[in-house]
Amino acid sequence: MSQQEAPPEPAAGGRVAGDAAVSGIRLTSVTLPLPVPVSDAKVLTGRQRPMTEVVFLFAEVAAGDQHGIGFSYSKRAGGRAQYAHAAEVAQTALGQDASDIGRIHTSLLWAGASVGRSGAATQAIAAIDIALWDLKARRAGLPLAKLLGAYRDSVRTYDTSGGFLHADLAAITARADESLAAGIGGIKIKVGHPDSRVDLDRVAAVRDHLGEHVPLMVDANQQWDRATAARIGRVLDRYGLEWIEEPLDAYDATGHARLAQRLDTPIATGEMLTSVAEHYELIRHQAADIIQPDAPRVGGITPFLQLATLADHSGVDLAPHFAMEIHIHLAAAYPRETWVEHFDWLNPLFQHRMETRDGRMVVPTRPGLGLAPTDQARRWVTDTIGFGSIGTPLR
């Protein structure tokens, strides 16, 4: 190998030169308006207002002439905090080897160590981490799932978009029919209404409409106490549900463990947790049959993979929350058969649609995550900042 062909030697702190180095980062805040205000149990119990928008933090990372894109998000408050924190720490990644994603992730954590390793801090880092993984897969010319080592080329998928509590029963069943006709395999509806009789009537009606062979899930969004969850859960056992989601407070590992022991229906939870350590409490307490980590919330793909290893070792199933554009790749690389949540909310942001057929979501074959922002997404930009040499926006 000639001197010109030799790989660059890493400098202190993992700094390198040439096309291997992170040469630029662009952060962009995008506000996605929702067509209809969305309400779940947290709204009906007075804890939150209906959701009208989702704020996204996009990160574009450049190394040489290659780019990667990642995103995090916030429902209701938090979007500005994510953007502000990312803007403070992003320069830490400049000059580091773009392939050393674990080292970069750790350096970003330490750059903001005074605000901890969970919450808005990790969600801000997540966008950069995900962009680095997208970049790595693009440079390899592989879909991210293939780079990670896929076990399957499609993943079971279920629809959530049409099952919120603001929708009446006719709208829910009509949407369920549309989803199944579009190749989606399961249906999830929201529960947690202040009057539990409303929940039970809706579940019974939807199960009757779908028949006993269509996978059906319910999601209480943390609105039950332990006694209520046990009482309603015993009734729900008769409907053959795939799972009961977030029946209790997200941090009540002990309560979830007791409930899982008492009910036949599997318990699923974890979407609100923002670190591997928090999820490990669920695993350690045997509090969930199915964990539902969210890569943008736990800090990106790097910690998600750590968590997936812990879950698989403990015999726990996986059903990642939201962000199907990212999670289809991660679910395909999980050893156990998984579920991916189908949400159509993000469709206006990206040029390509996720393919569903025969109850499954197909892993995209485009390099990386396979994401390309739309012109509409660019019109929803509220703020942007760049570091280093980032070039033109990713297309």
Side-chain angles (χ1 to χ4, degrees), residues 162-163 166-178:
H166 65 265
D168 61 25
L169 185 59
I172 290 174
T173 54
R175 173 56 185 263
D177 290 343
E178 293 173 3

Side-chain angles (χ1 to χ4, degrees), residues 158-162 172-187 342 356:
Y158 67 96
D159 181 69
T160 294
S161 305
I172 290 174
T173 54
R175 173 56 185 263
D177 290 343
E178 293 173 3
S179 298
L180 295 174
I184 296 172
I187 303 297
H342 190 284
T356 55

Side-chain angles (χ1 to χ4, degrees), residues 48-349:
Q48 292 182 336
R49 295 179 180 178
M51 184 171 17
T52 59
E53 63 187 26
V54 182
V55 178
F56 288 84
L57 168 62
F58 279 88
E60 297 169 44
V61 177
D65 61 354
Q66 295 280 346
H67 286 67
I69 185 169
F71 66 86
S72 189
Y73 70 93
S74 178
K75 299 177 180 178
R76 302 179 176 89
R80 288 188 224 172
Q82 290 181 23
Y83 179 82
H85 185 76
E88 285 193 280
V89 303
Q91 292 185 75
T92 304
L94 293 178
Q96 295 199 58
D97 191 322
S99 294
D100 294 342
I101 302 175
R103 175 156 51 186
I104 294 174
H105 190 275
T106 298
S107 70
L108 292 170
L109 279 176
W110 278 107
S114 65
V115 292
R117 299 180 183 179
S118 62
T122 51
Q123 292 170 42
I125 292 170
I128 300 171
D129 181 87
I130 293 166
L132 286 164
W133 279 102
D134 180 52
L135 170 62
K136 190 169 190 173
R138 286 175 184 252
R139 292 172 75 180
L142 294 171
L144 179 61
K146 297 293 186 182
L147 181 76
L148 296 175
Y151 286 86
R152 58 197 68 87
D153 294 323
S154 66
V155 178
R156 292 180 298 178
T157 187
Y158 67 96
D159 181 69
T160 294
S161 305
F164 282 83
L165 289 177
H166 65 265
D168 61 25
L169 185 59
I172 290 174
T173 54
R175 173 56 185 263
D177 290 343
E178 293 173 3
S179 298
L180 295 174
I184 296 172
I187 303 297
K188 187 173 79 178
I189 66 171
K190 299 289 186 174
V191 292
H193 193 283
D195 184 348
S196 60
R197 292 171 297 183
V198 173
D199 284 337
L200 296 175
D201 288 346
R202 283 162 66 98
V203 173
V206 173
R207 171 51 84 200
D208 182 66
H209 178 82
L210 297 176
E212 62 182 23
H213 298 299
V214 174
L216 176 63
M217 306 84 163
V218 301
D219 182 359
N221 288 111
Q222 308 179 71
Q223 296 309 292
W224 293 332
D225 58 29
R226 293 181 180 183
T228 302
R231 176 174 54 82
I232 297 177
R234 285 193 293 269
V235 179
L236 292 175
D237 272 342
R238 71 181 64 162
Y239 295 109
L241 303 176
E242 291 293 314
W243 66 68
I244 300 172
E245 184 171 330
E246 285 198 315
L248 302 171
D249 183 274
Y251 294 90
D252 185 5
T254 300
H256 278 101
R258 292 176 181 173
L259 190 65
Q261 292 173 355
R262 297 179 69 176
L263 300 181
D264 294 332
T265 307
I267 299 299
T269 191
E271 68 179 64
M272 299 302 296
L273 305 183
T274 58
S275 70
V276 174
E278 292 167 354
H279 277 276
Y280 180 65
E281 286 301 293
L282 295 178
I283 296 171
R284 185 172 68 87
H285 283 85
Q286 298 182 331
D289 304 285
I290 303 148
I291 59 168
Q292 300 179 295
D294 184 318
R297 282 184 174 166
V298 300
I301 291 171
T302 298
F304 187 101
L305 295 175
Q306 297 169 358
L307 174 57
T309 299
L310 290 171
D312 179 46
H313 177 72
S314 301
V316 177
D317 288 332
L318 186 74
H321 167 256
F322 200 60
M324 61 184 179
E325 294 80 3
I326 298 169
H327 290 135
I328 178 62
H329 294 273
L330 305 184
Y334 191 64
R336 301 168 185 275
E337 182 69 87
T338 55
W339 286 92
V340 170
E341 186 171 26
H342 190 284
F343 259 102
D344 59 10
W345 294 2
L346 276 61
N347 282 352
L349 297 177

